[in-house]
Amino acid sequence: MEESPTVSDGTARTEGHDEPRSHETRDAASDGAAFARTRTALTALGRALRYDLSIASRLAAKKLRAAGSGALLRIRDIDLQAAKTRAAEAAARSAAVWSRVKLWHFRSTDKRAVGEKQFRWRALGLLSAATAGACLVFIVILFAWALSDVPWEEIAEGSLKPVVLLETVDGKPLVRQGPIQGPFAAREEFPRHLIDAVLTSEDRRFYDHSGIDLKGILRASFRNVRAGEVVQGGSTITQQLIKILYLEQDRTWKRKIQEAVIAFWLERKLGKDEILTRYLNNIYLGAGATGVPAASRIYFDKEVRDLTLGESAMLAGIIRAPSQLNPIRNPEGARRQASLVLDAMVKRGKSTADQAKVATAKFAELHPAKPAARSGGWFSDWVMQEARELAGPYRGTIKIRTTMVPRLQVIAEKVVAEALKQEGAAAGASQAALIAMTPEGAVVAMVGGSDYAKSPFNRATTAMRQPGSAFKLFVYYAALKAGLTPGDWIEDAPIELNGWSPENYGGGYRGRVTIAEAFARSLNAATAALAMEIGIDQVIAAARELGIDAKLAQTPSLALGSSEVNLLDLTGAYASIRTGIAPVEPWGVVSFHADGQRAFRVGPPKQPTADIRQYQPDMVALLRLVVERGTGREADLGALSAGKTGTSQNHRDAWFVGFTEPLVVGVWVGNDDEAPMNEVTGGRLPARIWRNFMRAAAAEPADSARDSATNVTVDGSSADGAEAAATCNFRACASAYRSFRLADCTFQPYRGPRRFCEK
């Protein structure tokens, strides 16, 4: 027994299994006894239940027999007839109840259907209202955005765009080169056949629609779809006017909304006749012509009231494509289009067949041609700057009477062109400029180059060039103011000033000479010495006093014209010497007259402030000496002739500026690239140009140029006794009074009514 723990694992496991088997035997025996006892108990329980069931069943059977007997007794006692009656009544009551139940159910179902239907309609109504409200809000926001930048005030004023018309001193039109717009014509000035032609071509239902022609749009859309391309437009004349005057030309929904709203509003604001009048005055008709008045002048050289039926049809026909159909560029296309307009007018009863036939036959005689370019292009460009300033507050047609004398302008252009043609190549000069003015500064002629069509750059007013010895005027004027006289002596000898040594033209020095001789011979060394003696600052002061506004370098070489100036200002300075008052500011506007307003004279921008008459005789004598015995002998006319030559370094610029009794004239010759000329000096080509112009101008009656520029009346006549326009110095008045009003040249004082400005 004690060794069993030491045996192998297999032996131990075997022994381990033997012991449980003995226990299982004992458990099985005990389980058998338990089952036996359970069977005994269940048997006893079954017997007890059978006994109890038997007793219960006997009692139940007894009770059932008693109940059955009672039921049979009650059945025997039932009255069958009464039972049937009661059954029928019960059935009737049941049917009635069921009927009421069904009726209630039906009504309940119907009410629910009706309610559901009403709910659906109510919901649909609310949804529609919400959608409509949202759309309305969207439309309001869209229109507010689209119309936010519409110039309502400008449209509400019913004002026309300003059209500035320049006139020469005698009241004739001064036609500018390039795009032009004629004066606004009134409704009654347009011939009836012109209006019929335009309406037939552009808007046949103009007097029937309210700004937008829906029928016209549908008709045009149908025709365009049939043709497969755009062959007809649907815009009314009202819509076209809006595009021309008020809206941008881009094709956007914003512009479409603006166009539609403004069209309806404009019809009620202005009316049909006013809309049509504005349209005819502003429509573009090709060749640079805006408006029928300008087109009638360019194509037929006549007033709009004088247009014939055929001419009217031609103008109406080119509205749709003015650049392609204008009679100058495409005469055959213009005639074909005019024939179509005439045929349409006959169909509408706006012209008879005979009238149309006659007009068509006359087309062969129509040879529209743009009028030849008129002189004065540079002058027009120069004066237009001031003209637009004057026209600023006005609308409609503004007539600006200028100082230009047509005859003198033609002479100036001819003289300059001939000089360059004959001598330009040999002289190495490609350009020239000329300014002619009265002693009071009224510019009567202006040439800014060799050919305006090729180069509109104005060398007379814009180009800044070195004046050379022409600037010596200011040195000798300063010397006279310093107390020197033309007979005083100065030294013409070599001089060095800060490393700069001026030399005389041709070399050599004359030693001791008078101021008069130094000026007449244009001696550089003597002039530089004189300038240093009186002071360069005094020379600059003298130039400023006589009207030079350009930047002037305070160096010794300034005395010989090293600082740049323009021809206009330099000529104005010589005019100051001629009149004896300074500064004389060149000017070009005599008067302006806006529609419905009073006419006003304008005159020079600045009135002279310095009286220099005490120096005038000596200065005129010095300038006459230049022409008589000095460097300007080529300019001698045999009568009063005074002036000064000028030549810049290396002959890049050559000048002659001088005057006679009625006129002050300046001439410049050179090249745009500042290339040196072939030994050209101011005493040669420029002096000859000056002389030729003065001689041609002298053929005009004495003082006519001066008088016409300074004594012009409101209507442009020079007749004595004519009522002159009131003078309004609008620049001085605007600077002096904040309340200044250009419309009537008045200002508001602190007390009392408005007063006329007399500055």
Side-chain angles (χ1 to χ4, degrees):
M1 297 288 293
E2 296 176 354
E3 294 178 356
S4 59
T6 63
V7 296
S8 66
D9 293 338
T11 304
R13 283 195 293 271
T14 302
E15 292 177 352
H17 283 290
D18 289 341
E19 186 174 357
R21 287 175 180 167
S22 63
H23 288 297
E24 290 176 358
T25 303
R26 289 192 297 270
D27 291 341
S30 61
D31 290 342
F35 284 127
R37 287 193 295 272
T38 302
R39 283 195 300 271
T40 301
L42 291 174
T43 303
L45 179 59
R47 285 196 296 272
L49 289 173
R50 285 196 298 273
Y51 177 75
D52 291 338
L53 289 172
S54 64
I55 293 176
S57 62
R58 286 195 294 274
L59 291 175
K62 184 177 180 179
K63 290 182 178 180
L64 287 173
R65 285 194 295 276
S69 297
L72 290 173
L73 291 175
R74 286 194 292 273
I75 291 172
R76 291 190 190 101
D77 295 337
I78 293 174
D79 186 351
L80 294 177
Q81 188 63 34
K84 291 180 179 180
T85 302
R86 287 194 295 272
E89 292 176 352
R93 287 195 298 271
S94 178
V97 170
W98 278 108
S99 296
R100 287 194 296 271
V101 170
K102 290 180 178 179
L103 179 62
W104 174 83
H105 177 72
F106 174 76
R107 289 178 177 176
S108 298
T109 303
D110 188 58
K111 286 181 179 180
R112 284 196 300 274
V114 172
E116 290 177 359
K117 186 175 182 180
Q118 291 177 345
F119 175 77
R120 287 196 295 272
W121 279 107
R122 188 178 297 110
L124 181 61
L126 291 174
L127 181 61
S128 300
T131 303
C135 292
L136 181 61
V137 171
F138 173 76
I139 291 173
V140 170
I141 294 176
L142 179 63
F143 272 61
W145 166 75
L147 302 175
S148 59
D149 57 350
V150 173
W152 294 109
E153 293 184 2
E154 180 181 349
I155 302 174
E157 291 175 357
S159 57
L160 300 171
K161 288 185 177 180
V163 175
V164 177
L165 298 180
L166 299 180
E167 298 177 341
T168 60
V169 73
D170 53 0
K172 295 180 180 179
L174 177 57
V175 180
R176 299 183 67 208
Q177 305 300 314
I180 64 169
Q181 183 168 8
F184 286 115
R187 172 67 172 78
E188 56 272 13
E189 294 183 58
F190 295 103
R192 182 68 238 179
H193 51 253
L194 171 68
I195 293 175
D196 290 337
V198 172
L199 295 183
T200 298
S201 176
E202 295 299 311
D203 193 352
R204 299 182 181 183
R205 300 185 64 253
F206 176 70
Y207 282 98
D208 298 326
H209 59 67
S210 298
I212 296 179
D213 187 6
L214 298 179
K215 291 183 179 179
I217 294 174
L218 294 175
R219 181 178 64 252
S221 300
F222 177 72
R223 292 183 179 177
N224 292 339
V225 170
R226 275 184 31 176
E229 59 179 347
V230 178
V231 297
Q232 184 176 354
S235 294
T236 64
I237 281 179
T238 306
Q239 291 175 282
Q240 293 183 49
L241 177 65
I242 293 169
K243 296 174 188 177
I244 295 170
L245 294 183
Y246 306 117
L247 299 182
E248 300 293 336
Q249 297 299 317
D250 52 336
R251 297 175 178 270
T252 62
W253 284 106
K254 179 178 181 180
R255 201 214 68 187
K256 291 292 184 183
I257 294 173
Q258 292 176 338
E259 183 180 309
V261 174
I262 297 174
F264 285 118
W265 184 83
L266 202 62
E267 288 272 338
R268 289 155 181 78
K269 179 67 179 178
L270 299 182
K272 292 291 187 181
D273 287 343
E274 179 63 19
I275 290 174
L276 180 59
T277 301
R278 293 191 180 195
Y279 176 78
L280 295 175
N281 278 302
N282 288 281
I283 190 67
Y284 180 67
L285 292 168
T290 297
V292 175
S296 64
R297 176 61 63 186
I298 286 181
Y299 295 138
F300 309 114
D301 198 20
K302 61 174 59 176
E303 298 293 335
V304 66
R305 64 173 64 90
D306 299 325
L307 291 172
T308 65
L309 174 61
E311 293 166 345
S312 297
M314 184 172 287
L315 292 180
I318 66 177
I319 291 177
R320 297 182 183 180
S323 297
Q324 289 75 31
L325 293 176
N326 80 72
I328 293 178
R329 178 176 180 178
N330 185 4
E332 289 302 321
R335 292 188 183 100
R336 286 195 301 270
Q337 196 67 23
S339 297
L340 295 176
V341 173
L342 287 173
D343 292 341
M345 291 177 68
V346 172
K347 291 180 181 179
R348 294 186 64 221
K350 300 300 180 181
S351 175
T352 66
D354 292 339
Q355 290 174 333
K357 185 176 180 180
V358 172
T360 303
K362 289 184 177 180
F363 282 163
E365 302 174 8
L366 286 179
H367 298 285
K370 195 169 184 178
R374 301 185 182 180
S375 59
W378 291 287
F379 179 89
S380 299
D381 293 345
W382 171 67
V383 82
M384 182 57 75
Q385 301 175 17
E386 182 177 358
R388 293 197 182 282
E389 184 179 353
L390 287 168
Y394 295 101
R395 293 296 182 267
T397 302
I398 300 97
K399 294 182 179 181
I400 303 293
R401 183 69 56 86
T402 71
T403 58
M404 196 192 85
V405 178
R407 180 176 177 274
L408 296 181
Q409 179 66 37
V410 171
I411 292 173
E413 294 184 8
K414 181 180 179 181
V415 167
V416 170
E418 289 180 350
L420 290 177
K421 182 179 179 180
Q422 295 172 4
E423 303 184 50
S430 60
Q431 296 291 345
L434 183 149
I435 290 281
M437 64 180 67
T438 67
E440 293 77 18
V443 177
V444 296
M446 178 182 292
V447 179
S450 61
D451 189 337
Y452 181 86
K454 294 180 179 179
S455 176
F457 177 70
N458 197 334
R459 296 158 187 83
T461 62
T462 307
M464 303 294 290
R465 308 299 287 259
Q466 290 182 344
S469 294
F471 194 84
K472 292 176 181 177
L473 175 81
F474 309 110
V475 176
Y476 288 84
Y477 172 63
L480 296 182
K481 292 191 66 175
L484 298 176
T485 67
D488 289 338
W489 295 88
I490 55 177
E491 194 71 28
D492 180 44
I495 183 174
E496 182 175 343
L497 302 169
N498 299 326
W500 173 63
S501 299
E503 298 179 353
N504 293 326
Y505 180 74
Y509 300 93
R510 292 187 173 271
R512 189 171 176 81
V513 294
T514 64
I515 287 179
E517 184 179 358
F519 186 78
R521 297 183 181 277
S522 196
L523 300 178
N524 294 334
T527 301
L530 179 62
M532 297 308 296
E533 179 181 344
I534 60 177
I536 292 295
D537 57 334
Q538 296 302 311
V539 174
I540 294 176
R544 299 295 187 217
E545 184 177 9
L546 295 180
I548 298 298
D549 299 324
K551 183 179 180 180
L552 302 177
Q554 194 167 351
T555 60
S557 62
L558 175 66
L560 304 186
S562 61
S563 291
E564 296 178 339
V565 298
N566 64 56
L567 180 61
L568 182 67
D569 288 347
L570 189 60
T571 307
Y574 277 73
S576 298
I577 299 297
R578 166 65 183 82
T579 56
I581 53 176
V584 171
E585 291 284 341
W587 53 283
V589 176
V590 176
S591 64
F592 73 94
H593 187 194
D595 285 345
Q597 301 291 334
R598 183 181 181 184
F600 290 103
R601 288 178 60 87
V602 179
K606 184 189 299 183
Q607 295 297 328
T609 56
D611 186 348
I612 62 172
R613 284 175 291 183
Q614 68 179 104
Y615 312 110
Q616 182 192 24
D618 286 341
M619 287 304 303
V620 171
L622 290 175
L623 292 169
R624 292 189 65 176
L625 195 61
V626 171
V627 176
E628 294 172 358
R629 294 188 296 167
T631 58
R633 288 188 293 273
E634 287 280 356
D636 193 1
L637 295 172
L640 172 62
S641 303
K644 184 69 183 76
T645 60
T647 308
S648 66
Q649 190 174 12
N650 296 325
H651 304 277
R652 290 189 174 91
D653 307 279
W655 309 68
F656 188 88
V657 187
F659 50 79
T660 60
E661 184 67 27
L663 292 173
V664 182
V665 177
V667 177
W668 166 87
V669 175
N671 295 301
D672 287 339
D673 60 359
E674 299 188 8
M677 293 180 287
N678 299 330
E679 300 295 325
V680 176
T681 64
R684 296 181 181 177
L685 182 57
R688 287 193 289 271
I689 293 175
W690 186 92
R691 179 194 64 202
N692 293 340
F693 173 80
M694 286 296 194
R695 282 180 176 173
E700 194 174 8
D703 291 340
S704 60
R706 176 179 177 181
D707 292 342
S708 61
T710 57
N711 299 323
V712 67
T713 60
V714 177
D715 60 1
S717 66
S718 300
D720 294 337
E723 183 182 357
T727 300
C728 179
N729 190 338
F730 73 97
R731 297 183 187 86
C733 293
S735 300
Y737 305 112
R738 295 180 60 184
S739 61
F740 173 71
R741 186 170 63 196
L742 182 58
D744 54 3
C745 196
T746 62
F747 68 97
Q748 180 60 58
Y750 290 110
R751 295 180 181 178
R754 298 186 68 86
R755 296 180 184 175
F756 186 81
C757 179
E758 298 178 348
K759 286 189 173 293

